[in-house]
């Protein structure tokens, strides 16, 4: 997705060989035009899957998730990382370790919103080692909902999460795949010429 790649090159910042900062358009401030285009692209890539729900994790997955759900005309559900005074009963939970934040969270979804027979599209901002996606898959499995695909905004292709999920049979669609990060340099996986750029 060229628009996303341009944003990453122009506004993203490779902080290290594993950390990409995209706060200006995805993780803190959101670019609504980009979010809309990403939602349309995810809907196109999973066309024909009879999706009934879109599932993500708060908070950075909500922007692309809600735009995908809007395009598909289905509800968006986001798994909560923080405890809620109003969300206390009939919870589905899973444990997710964040590679970037180096912390483990228990994520929760009410079983009122994901039910047996649902066809769920998982959307998330980053895919590194795949912990978040696996946690969302686990939540779906607990209620016999079917995961029909996993949509990722930015995949760190140099880490093993995407390969492992694809090897398990999941359709994983990433809008941008990063082959390598160095401080000040981002290289995309799909491109051969002009792939590296200093930012």
């Amino acid at each position: 997705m060229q628009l996303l790649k341009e944003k990453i090159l122009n506004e993203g910042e490779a902080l290290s060989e594993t950390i990409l900062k995209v706060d200006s358009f995805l993780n803190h401030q959101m670019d609504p035009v980009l979010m809309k285009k990403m939602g349309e692209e995810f809907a196109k890539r999973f066309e024909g899957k009879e999706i009934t729900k879109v599932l993500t994790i708060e908070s950075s997955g909500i922007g692309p998730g809600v735009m995908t759900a809007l395009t598909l005309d289905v509800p968006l559900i986001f798994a909560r990382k923080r405890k809620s005074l109003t969300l206390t009963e009939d919870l589905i939970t899973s444990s997710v370790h964040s590679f970037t934040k180096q912390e483990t969270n228990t994520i929760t979804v009410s079983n009122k919103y994901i039910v047996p027979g649902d066809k769920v599209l998982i959307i998330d901002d980053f895919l590194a080692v795949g912990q978040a996606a696996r946690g969302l898959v686990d939540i779906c499995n607990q209620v016999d909902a079917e995961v029909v695909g996993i949509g990722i905004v930015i995949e760190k292709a140099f880490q093993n999460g995407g390969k492992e999920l694809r090897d398990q049979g999941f359709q994983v669609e990433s809008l941008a795949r990063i082959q390598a990060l160095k401080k000040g340099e981002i290289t995309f996986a799909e491109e051969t010429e002009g792939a590296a750029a200093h930012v």
Side-chain angles (χ1 to χ4, degrees), residues 14-187:
L15 300 179
S16 70
E17 292 183 355
T18 57
I19 305 297
L20 174 63
K21 184 176 181 179
V22 288
D23 284 6
S24 68
F25 61 90
L26 180 62
N27 292 127
H28 192 41
Q29 173 174 266
M30 286 189 197
D31 179 335
V33 173
L34 177 63
M35 294 298 137
K36 183 172 183 288
K37 297 275 188 198
M38 291 193 300
E40 291 165 354
E41 182 66 21
F42 281 132
K44 189 167 83 174
R45 292 192 188 196
F46 294 100
E47 195 171 8
K49 294 287 189 178
E50 299 177 357
I51 295 157
T52 60
K53 304 278 172 64
V54 173
L55 176 64
T56 191
I57 295 182
E58 66 175 355
S59 59
S60 298
I62 294 175
V66 78
M67 289 302 188
T68 304
L70 179 66
T71 306
L72 293 168
D73 194 25
V74 299
L76 168 75
I77 302 146
F78 62 89
R80 292 178 180 257
K81 293 179 189 172
R82 296 161 198 81
K83 291 189 176 175
S84 166
L85 293 175
T86 60
L87 192 65
T88 56
E89 296 178 354
D90 303 318
L91 300 180
I92 316 159
T93 65
S94 189
S95 183
V96 171
H97 182 76
S98 169
F99 175 83
T100 306
K101 295 176 184 172
Q102 289 297 305
E103 64 184 25
T104 300
N105 290 297
T106 298
I107 59 170
T108 59
V109 172
S110 169
N111 69 4
K112 294 177 186 173
Y113 303 126
I114 298 182
V115 297
D118 267 332
K119 293 181 179 287
V120 179
L121 173 61
I122 290 170
I123 299 288
D124 205 10
D125 60 339
F126 272 96
L127 173 60
V129 296
Q131 287 291 311
R134 277 192 281 273
L136 293 172
V137 167
D138 179 47
I139 280 176
C140 292
N141 288 343
Q142 288 181 52
V143 292
D144 293 322
E146 179 188 354
V147 175
V148 298
I150 300 169
I152 301 295
V153 177
I154 300 169
E155 178 182 346
K156 296 176 182 176
F158 53 88
Q159 292 180 290
N160 61 1
K163 180 182 185 308
E164 289 179 359
L165 289 166
R166 290 179 181 99
D167 287 349
Q168 290 169 18
F170 292 106
Q171 179 183 348
V172 180
E173 296 287 340
S174 300
L175 302 185
R177 297 181 74 239
I178 305 294
Q179 185 63 50
L181 292 172
K182 293 180 187 172
K183 194 159 178 64
E185 188 176 304
I186 300 164
T187 307

